[in-house]
Amino acid sequence: MRPLPIVGLAGFAASALIAAAAQAQQATPPAAPAPAPPASWFDTIKLSGHIEAGVSGNPDSPANNINFGQLFTDRDNALRMNQAMLTAERDLDPKATGWDFGFKLQGMYGTDAHITHFFNEFDRVTKSPYQWDIVEANALVHMPLLTAGGIDWKLGQYSTPMGYEVIDATGNPLYSHSYIYNFGLPLKHTGVLATAHVTDWLDLWAGLDTGVNDSLGAKGINNGVFPKGLGGFGLNNLFGGKLTILALAHIGPENPRGLASIYGTPVDATEGLREIFDVVISYKITDQLTATTELNRIHDDYFKATGGGVAQYLTYQINDQWSITGRAEVFADQSGSDGFAGFVGQPTGPLDFVDGERGLLPNASYFANLNNGRPFNATYGELTIGATWKPPLPLGRVSLSLRPELRYDQVIGGSNIKPFDVNAQGVGTKSGSFTLAMDAILAF
């Protein structure tokens, strides 16, 4: 009978040990999971692409099927695949405190390419409206030196940082482009560009390049003059992050070798600078409403010609699927006294734009018989209202954007010209024109 107390004592002790162990387990929090290892450099490479197709209808049905003043949406009543674009990139880490490296490779096929070419890169592969283009091919470096935020470098071929609108269709609020984008800005550069992040609100920009849309080599630089310069400043995070300002200038000789005025006077490609100034001011009025103002001026010293204007954008984000954008613009095109017909023109053939930049087509040929080949001064205006609808898709990264728009162009001052609704004789008959357009962007 004596073993019973011993057994009871042993059971009590065991129970006490179990209870103590359970209490200790409750008092001790579980060990935190080990932090995930940092992503490797290769894991941060992004692959993306999109296909954009659209149509721009013109109720006038001009005989030459051209919507005057619109380079990228120039074809009347014709469905076009504007862009099939693929991108491989590794962005610089904006929070990097040490050295960082990246790159961007971007190629495109479609009708937009006949405007965006670098010289001597796929610009003579075909005479079709559908062409190939290298949009970007550059290396990126972040140097944690000299300024509080370091300096970002871009070396190679890259889209211009100037302006509000861009080549990549997914970066624009509207299908059609402004006069400023079409005729007042460069599209791309080949060179080196530095952005110094002086403070969290001030960036300084400086770069050297081969010129507007120029590449490398004797056939890649249209006048052989190197370098041209790009510079300016950016103001960020103003008024609690609501206001940003980007002011940039590009300066250098841009007239091509072998160019002659419409009077037959030879042009010295090394004489006379072309100055391009552009300011983009963006203010977030509310969480849904954003106002963007672009100011632009372009001047050619040799021809004493000046262009430029102002474009005002308002974008209202209704919800995750719908947004509305309006654009109002005035662009003045003041020709020089020695026969330069101005900056606004309308190439009609697939190679006309790049040939005009090279000096293979006289500037006046852009206008055909619109002014009997004579130079003129004109001020153009355009009003555009468009919407973007992004329907939900159960396809992961794949997204669809549909963008209808209504646009009206009008000659509002200067010469008494009628560039719209060209007749069978190649002569414009109207000073204004409506277009109704829509594109679809499938991004992946």
Side-chain angles (χ1 to χ4, degrees), residues 35-109:
S40 71
W41 189 87
F42 292 98
D43 290 337
T44 57
I45 295 175
K46 297 184 297 183
L47 302 176
S48 62
H50 70 263
I51 298 173
E52 179 200 22
V55 61
S56 183
N58 189 325
D60 291 330
S61 297
N64 62 354
N65 300 118
I66 294 293
N67 299 318
F68 182 86
Q70 303 185 41
L71 295 184
F72 295 87
T73 50
D74 60 335
R75 289 293 165 175
D76 162 46
N77 302 324
L79 178 64
R80 293 295 182 96
M81 185 184 75
N82 301 95
Q83 301 181 0
M85 183 177 286
L86 292 175
T87 305
E89 61 185 326
R90 198 277 180 182
D91 294 331
L92 294 177
D93 184 354
K95 298 180 180 179
T97 57
W99 289 79
D100 197 22
F101 302 90
F103 71 93
K104 186 171 185 179
L105 298 174
Q106 189 173 67
M108 178 174 69
Y109 176 76

Side-chain angles (χ1 to χ4, degrees), residues 108-115 117-118 120-133 349-355 358:
M108 178 174 69
Y109 176 76
T111 56
D112 283 3
H114 83 284
I115 303 295
H117 281 304
F118 281 113
N120 205 39
E121 294 184 14
F122 298 109
D123 58 353
R124 290 293 188 274
V125 170
T126 176
K127 295 183 179 179
S128 166
Y130 290 88
Q131 300 183 22
W132 300 91
D133 184 37
L351 301 180
D352 283 359
F353 186 82
V354 69
D355 282 349
R358 288 177 175 274

Side-chain angles (χ1 to χ4, degrees), residues 55-245:
V55 61
S56 183
N58 189 325
D60 291 330
S61 297
N64 62 354
N65 300 118
I66 294 293
N67 299 318
F68 182 86
Q70 303 185 41
L71 295 184
F72 295 87
T73 50
D74 60 335
R75 289 293 165 175
D76 162 46
N77 302 324
L79 178 64
R80 293 295 182 96
M81 185 184 75
N82 301 95
Q83 301 181 0
M85 183 177 286
L86 292 175
T87 305
E89 61 185 326
R90 198 277 180 182
D91 294 331
L92 294 177
D93 184 354
K95 298 180 180 179
T97 57
W99 289 79
D100 197 22
F101 302 90
F103 71 93
K104 186 171 185 179
L105 298 174
Q106 189 173 67
M108 178 174 69
Y109 176 76
T111 56
D112 283 3
H114 83 284
I115 303 295
T116 65
H117 281 304
F118 281 113
F119 297 145
N120 205 39
E121 294 184 14
F122 298 109
D123 58 353
R124 290 293 188 274
V125 170
T126 176
K127 295 183 179 179
S128 166
Y130 290 88
Q131 300 183 22
W132 300 91
D133 184 37
I134 298 173
V135 181
E136 303 234 11
N138 53 72
L140 308 173
V141 180
H142 174 75
M143 295 172 48
L145 303 173
L146 300 178
T147 65
I151 302 175
D152 294 338
W153 294 86
K154 184 177 292 186
L155 177 65
Q157 298 187 322
Y158 45 88
S159 297
T160 186
M162 302 180 71
Y164 177 59
E165 298 179 8
V166 294
I167 295 174
D168 188 331
T170 62
N172 295 314
L174 295 166
Y175 180 29
S176 69
H177 283 290
S178 66
Y179 280 83
I180 289 176
Y181 186 78
N182 284 329
F183 307 111
L185 289 172
L187 295 177
K188 300 189 293 189
H189 309 284
T190 300
V192 58
L193 179 64
T195 307
H197 304 294
V198 180
T199 68
D200 63 350
W201 58 269
L202 175 62
D203 292 337
L204 297 179
W205 296 68
L208 297 175
D209 57 66
T210 55
V212 173
N213 301 344
D214 284 6
S215 180
L216 295 172
K219 295 182 179 180
I221 304 177
N222 69 341
N223 58 21
V225 180
F226 177 83
K228 288 89 169 180
L230 187 152
F233 63 89
L235 302 178
N236 313 298
N237 303 313
L238 304 179
F239 293 96
K242 294 182 178 181
L243 176 66
T244 61
I245 300 173

Side-chain angles (χ1 to χ4, degrees), residues 136-384:
E136 303 234 11
N138 53 72
L140 308 173
V141 180
H142 174 75
M143 295 172 48
L145 303 173
L146 300 178
T147 65
I151 302 175
D152 294 338
W153 294 86
K154 184 177 292 186
L155 177 65
Q157 298 187 322
Y158 45 88
S159 297
T160 186
M162 302 180 71
Y164 177 59
E165 298 179 8
V166 294
I167 295 174
D168 188 331
T170 62
N172 295 314
L174 295 166
Y175 180 29
S176 69
H177 283 290
S178 66
Y179 280 83
I180 289 176
Y181 186 78
N182 284 329
F183 307 111
L185 289 172
L187 295 177
K188 300 189 293 189
H189 309 284
T190 300
V192 58
L193 179 64
T195 307
H197 304 294
V198 180
T199 68
D200 63 350
W201 58 269
L202 175 62
D203 292 337
L204 297 179
W205 296 68
L208 297 175
D209 57 66
T210 55
V212 173
N213 301 344
D214 284 6
S215 180
L216 295 172
K219 295 182 179 180
I221 304 177
N222 69 341
N223 58 21
V225 180
F226 177 83
K228 288 89 169 180
L230 187 152
F233 63 89
L235 302 178
N236 313 298
N237 303 313
L238 304 179
F239 293 96
K242 294 182 178 181
L243 176 66
T244 61
I245 300 173
L246 181 61
L248 298 175
H250 188 273
I251 299 175
E254 297 293 346
N255 291 310
R257 62 172 72 88
L259 180 66
S261 72
I262 61 173
Y263 298 132
T265 306
V267 173
D268 185 351
T270 64
E271 182 180 340
L273 301 177
R274 184 170 297 177
E275 302 100 4
I276 304 172
F277 304 94
D278 195 82
V279 180
V280 178
I281 305 168
S282 182
Y283 184 72
K284 197 169 184 62
I285 301 172
T286 68
D287 290 341
Q288 294 174 292
L289 181 62
T290 301
T292 301
T293 305
E294 183 170 10
L295 307 171
N296 176 267
R297 183 180 187 271
I298 180 171
H299 178 78
D300 191 282
D301 290 345
Y302 185 89
F303 287 106
K304 300 178 178 60
T306 302
V310 57
Q312 179 64 56
Y313 303 77
L314 283 175
T315 297
Y316 187 76
Q317 188 71 42
I318 301 173
N319 51 41
D320 292 340
Q321 296 183 29
W322 281 97
S323 65
I324 298 175
T325 297
R327 179 181 62 208
E329 179 185 19
V330 174
F331 189 90
D333 191 22
Q334 309 300 312
S335 62
S337 58
D338 55 355
F340 186 71
F343 294 101
V344 177
Q346 195 64 58
T348 57
L351 301 180
D352 283 359
F353 186 82
V354 69
D355 282 349
E357 291 181 304
R358 288 177 175 274
L360 301 179
L361 290 176
N363 184 271
S365 71
Y366 280 8
F367 299 87
N369 296 321
L370 299 181
N371 202 42
N372 295 321
R374 298 190 305 271
F376 54 81
N377 300 326
T379 300
Y380 305 90
E382 61 99 0
L383 293 172
T384 305

